Amino acid sequence: MIRNETIWVTGATSGIGKQLALMLAQQGNHVIVSGRNKQCLKEMLLNEKNISTLATDLVNDHVDWIGQQLGVITERLDRIILCAGNCLYFEMDDPDWNIMKQVMDINFHGSVKSIQAALPLLKKSQQRGHIVAISSLATTAAFPRAEAYGASKAALSYFLSSLRIDLAVEGIDVTDVKPGFIDTPLTQANNFDMPFLMSSEQAAKHILKHIVKKPYEYIFPKRLHWAFCILNAFPKRWLKMNVKKPADRNHETVNHGAD
Ligand SMILES: NC(=O)c1ccc[n+]([C@@H]2O[C@H](COP(=O)([O-])OP(=O)(O)OC[C@H]3O[C@@H](n4cnc5c(N)ncnc54)[C@H](OP(=O)(O)O)[C@@H]3O)[C@@H](O)[C@H]2O)c1
């Protein structure tokens, strides 16, 4: 169990990040919760113990300002858990190419910015610092309409793998968490079947149980991962299963992608 640590959780105003932050605070950690939703941050501060808040927009706020604000709250960070993210689907029938940048800006650059801002404080941890970032099981295979989301998470995963090597000598570990479908506001708008859907409470429990050991990667649920790996091993069949005629694109119920 994670105890007596100072932990920054981004995307802590909703979904997986909020659950993680609440559980970590209840376990006696000092948790810095961040997001743009000031009302939600205020309520968390009022209702929970062991919480500090940092209202920040990880796309638009400057990295130096974020670092300074963290420094006002704490002298050191033991762990950061990066959950801030968004999912927008690309619609080939009515394409909005701007979403590629929009989604990259938060899912990839927002995570990079968070790490950059937190790194000086992570280096001051009295234990090995730990960076945990939530990418996605969607990176296992290519999904229709997931050009922006899948690419942003694949970029994040590669970044984390590379960073892990470069930070090892600095005494900082890096874990890439790849969840399947979790029931949160992000997935509640999905109009397709989501196999092995789990609640954000269940997901947070799984994540907290596994990140203690600081694995390089934690993928769950395993059954969904293996199913995607097998399907991905047959790319022609996978393509055939997913190809839709334009008129059918909005009516299919399966195989539209992990979150
Ligand atoms: N749900 C799933 O099935 C699933 C599966 C795999 C991976 N993931 C990933 O898990 C992470 C959490 O997702 P979730 O499902 O919990 O989504 P969610 O409930 O929609 O939460 C997203 C969080 O990101 C924050 N955020 C978004 N844009 C931001 C910005 N510009 N600056 C700062 N914070 C921002 C939001 O806070 P504010 O609105 O207050 O800023 C919110 O707290 C995401 O990275 C997502 O891609 C989710």
Side-chain angles (χ1 to χ4, degrees):
M1 192 184 275
I2 299 168
R3 279 212 181 108
N4 300 322
E5 292 190 5
T6 302
I7 305 170
W8 179 29
V9 182
T10 74
T13 53
S14 173
I16 303 168
K18 186 171 183 181
Q19 278 306 320
L20 286 168
L22 293 176
M23 287 178 187
L24 285 165
Q26 281 152 16
Q27 285 172 203
N29 300 283
H30 172 210
V31 184
I32 302 163
V33 295
S34 73
R36 294 164 302 178
N37 185 334
K38 288 185 182 158
Q39 183 58 34
C40 182
L41 292 175
K42 199 173 153 188
E43 282 166 22
M44 289 176 84
L45 188 64
L46 281 175
N47 298 329
E48 304 295 328
K49 283 182 190 161
N50 304 326
I51 293 254
S52 299
T53 59
L54 170 54
T56 180
D57 179 338
L58 291 169
V59 173
N60 294 305
D61 291 342
H62 196 278
V63 63
D64 292 343
W65 181 84
I66 300 169
Q68 278 162 15
Q69 298 306 306
L70 285 169
V72 170
I73 300 170
T74 181
E75 285 176 359
R76 64 177 167 83
L77 281 168
D78 300 307
R79 206 181 295 258
I80 61 173
I81 307 183
L82 308 180
C83 301
N86 196 5
C87 177
L88 298 173
Y89 290 113
F90 185 63
E91 306 295 347
M92 193 51 88
D93 299 338
D94 183 17
D96 177 1
W97 292 91
N98 293 322
I99 70 160
M100 308 302 165
K101 181 174 180 318
Q102 251 176 281
V103 175
M104 281 299 282
D105 275 350
I106 180 60
N107 291 3
F108 179 71
H109 295 294
S111 302
V112 174
K113 193 187 276 187
S114 305
I115 293 168
Q116 189 187 343
L119 207 48
L121 294 171
L122 279 169
K123 287 182 181 172
K124 290 184 185 162
S125 174
Q126 283 149 7
Q127 57 195 54
R128 285 182 71 86
H130 191 194
I131 295 168
V132 180
I134 315 289
S135 66
S136 174
L137 203 155
T139 55
T140 311
F143 293 92
R145 301 163 66 222
E147 285 86 346
Y149 187 75
S152 71
K153 294 297 187 179
L156 177 61
S157 283
Y158 192 99
F159 172 79
L160 296 170
S161 302
S162 201
L163 190 71
R164 180 178 305 117
I165 301 168
D166 287 323
L167 284 182
V169 285
E170 304 275 353
I172 294 174
D173 299 305
V174 177
T175 296
D176 183 357
V177 176
K178 300 181 170 188
F181 295 108
I182 316 300
D183 188 10
T184 70
L186 184 139
T187 48
Q188 277 154 13
N190 285 350
N191 62 348
F192 49 84
D193 284 349
M194 293 183 275
F196 308 114
L197 182 72
M198 65 173 74
S199 68
S200 52
E201 290 89 339
Q202 283 175 301
K205 278 184 192 160
H206 279 290
I207 293 169
L208 291 185
K209 185 178 166 199
H210 286 85
I211 62 170
V212 180
K213 293 178 191 156
K214 301 182 170 182
Y216 294 167
E217 189 178 72
Y218 172 52
I219 308 181
F220 71 102
K222 295 286 179 239
R223 285 176 295 176
L224 188 61
H225 179 229
W226 289 121
F228 286 165
C229 286
I230 291 165
L231 292 165
N232 197 41
F234 301 95
K236 285 187 181 166
R237 178 167 283 270
W238 180 242
L239 181 74
K240 221 171 166 181
M241 282 169 69
N242 282 291
V243 166
K244 312 277 180 305
K245 289 184 191 141
D248 296 335
R249 279 192 189 124
N250 292 325
H251 303 294
E252 279 293 331
T253 55
V254 290
N255 292 327
H256 278 220
D259 59 42

